[in-house]
Amino acid sequence: MASAIVLSASGGVYDVELEDGTVTEASLRGRLKLQQRTGDRVVAGDIVGVESQSDGSLTIESVESRTSQLARRAPGRGRNAKVMVANIDRVIIVFAAREPQPNRRLLDRFLVLVEANRLDPLIVLNKIDQADDDFADTFLAPYEAVGYETLRTSVTAAVGVDALRAKMCNARSVVTGPSGVGKSSLLNSVQPGLGLRIGEVSASVNKGQHTTVSSRLIPLECGGYVADTPGLRELGLWGIQPEELPDCFPEFTDLIGTCRFARSCSHTHEPGCAVRSAVDSGAIDRERFASYLTLREEAEGAPQY
Ligand code: GDP
Ligand code: ZN
């Protein structure tokens, strides 16, 4: 059996890339089809075993267990997570220094989704030609203090693009962020035409031409893949439960056990809360904590199934 990676999966048709780089269509073996119905779907990024049939067609015979996945959780009773893409190494979150102005609440929301999926984020601040260094440093400092990796880029001034390319080669990345921050421009600088290929799907999503657009992986010339995951742009909380939220803020991790009510502390109002003391002393960034409170309220208010 040969090994292949699934580039896209939609409507029962699977585009797979074989180890020699050939891209071809494959279909699912009956047993795997059954698993699809129970919710355990084969998605872009899955590593599969394929076999050629006598009629020349290719079938997917097995699926390797995933090292990671990006999934929307459906809470409660036997409902499965909707996996958008599998085996991702890194989520690249792009914001602009200006036009549009970066929004920390929104960045924290992206980071929570990444943390909830136990993936590694890379925060890119693009258009740094539009702002002075102080602005970029001030904006990124709280994230660097938490230990997040950051990159300052400018497409127009050709700053940081080589560094971004180096991060993307030989890795499987998801690129996300608000519109207008320069995602397509950055991808085009990493590899000519790449931003366009990703843009095509986004444009059709905006026009409402497809109701459910699944993810695609695009092979990079330098090795590695970039995933287009249209669903990532709908920034709900993805079924993240209120009590999971503190674990999505790495700067809380060491403190959670020392709150008076330990893991049952919501860090919103309880006495003896180590997280809120850390906010008061300046050890935890006030804006990050404000994002936590906003997201907590949202998660508490979300319908529980
Ligand atoms: P996307 O919606 O995130 O894909 O953003 P685009 O790549 O379409 O870029 C939005 C606008 O920002 C375009 O007009 C780009 O030319 C511009 N842009 C992208 N990167 C930079 C940059 O580094 N500096 C400046 N000044 N403009 C940029
Ligand atoms: Zn607490």
Side-chain angles (χ1 to χ4, degrees):
M1 200 159 26
S3 174
I5 181 165
V6 177
L7 298 183
S8 71
S10 90
V13 180
Y14 299 81
D15 278 338
V16 299
E17 185 192 42
L18 304 174
E19 273 174 342
D20 66 1
T22 321
V23 177
T24 177
E25 265 183 24
S27 60
L28 274 193
R29 199 72 167 160
R31 182 176 54 84
L32 289 171
K33 264 190 199 151
L34 188 70
Q35 286 173 9
Q36 297 278 296
R37 282 201 289 275
T38 60
D40 194 10
R41 304 177 320 132
V42 174
V43 299
D46 268 324
I47 309 290
V48 294
V50 292
E51 219 153 70
S52 309
Q53 303 300 311
S54 49
D55 63 357
S57 69
L58 202 67
T59 53
I60 297 175
E61 302 282 329
S62 62
V63 186
E64 279 185 26
S65 59
R66 295 168 181 154
T67 56
S68 71
Q69 59 184 31
L70 194 53
R72 260 168 210 281
R73 256 97 40 83
R77 304 186 207 119
R79 296 247 238 124
N80 284 300
K82 183 179 189 303
V83 180
M84 334 265 299
V85 60
N87 301 319
I88 287 297
D89 303 311
R90 184 180 285 120
V91 179
I92 301 175
I93 307 172
V94 185
F95 274 72
R98 282 193 53 194
E99 292 175 23
Q101 204 73 29
N103 176 335
R104 297 200 37 188
R105 240 15 119 245
L106 194 56
L107 173 53
D108 291 333
R109 185 181 283 272
F110 276 108
L111 288 168
V112 161
L113 291 185
V114 172
E115 292 287 346
N117 284 281
R118 296 187 178 80
L119 291 167
D120 282 327
L122 168 67
I123 302 169
V124 173
L125 191 66
N126 187 38
K127 306 198 193 184
I128 52 158
D129 56 286
Q130 298 277 70
D132 53 37
D133 291 350
D134 276 357
F135 177 84
D137 291 347
T138 307
F139 182 80
L140 292 173
Y143 299 95
E144 290 167 346
V146 169
Y148 286 129
E149 220 182 319
T150 63
L151 202 57
R152 293 151 175 80
T153 62
S154 165
V155 175
T156 41
V159 173
V161 173
D162 290 340
L164 180 62
R165 186 183 301 109
K167 295 275 177 209
M168 293 179 70
C169 294
N170 301 310
R172 297 185 193 130
S173 321
V174 167
V175 177
T176 190
S179 82
V181 297
K183 295 181 298 298
S184 320
S185 312
L186 278 170
L187 289 170
N188 283 338
S189 327
V190 164
Q191 178 181 311
L194 185 62
L196 254 183
R197 286 193 61 188
I198 297 237
E200 279 165 26
V201 173
S202 317
S204 60
V205 171
N206 288 338
K207 287 194 215 113
Q209 287 175 354
H210 306 279
T211 44
T212 52
V213 179
S214 48
S215 309
R216 283 186 312 160
L217 273 194
I218 296 169
L220 297 174
E221 281 156 17
C222 61
Y225 300 84
V226 58
D228 191 19
T229 51
L232 196 56
R233 296 182 197 103
E234 304 152 27
L235 272 180
L237 269 186
W238 284 30
I240 295 169
Q241 299 300 294
E243 54 282 4
E244 290 179 84
L245 263 184
D247 293 319
C248 297
F249 286 75
E251 64 269 56
F252 294 8
T253 312
D254 290 343
L255 297 170
I256 289 172
T258 62
C259 290
R260 187 177 304 163
F261 298 112
R263 287 205 65 87
S264 60
C265 184
S266 73
H267 321 300
T268 59
H269 63 278
E270 294 86 344
C273 172
V275 170
R276 280 186 304 126
S277 304
V279 175
D280 289 339
S281 75
I284 287 181
D285 182 70
R286 212 164 266 287
E287 288 290 311
R288 288 272 296 163
F289 185 66
S291 290
Y292 169 76
L293 291 179
T294 305
L295 294 170
R296 178 101 200 183
E297 204 171 323
E298 188 179 321
E300 304 272 5
Q304 307 291 310
Y305 295 90

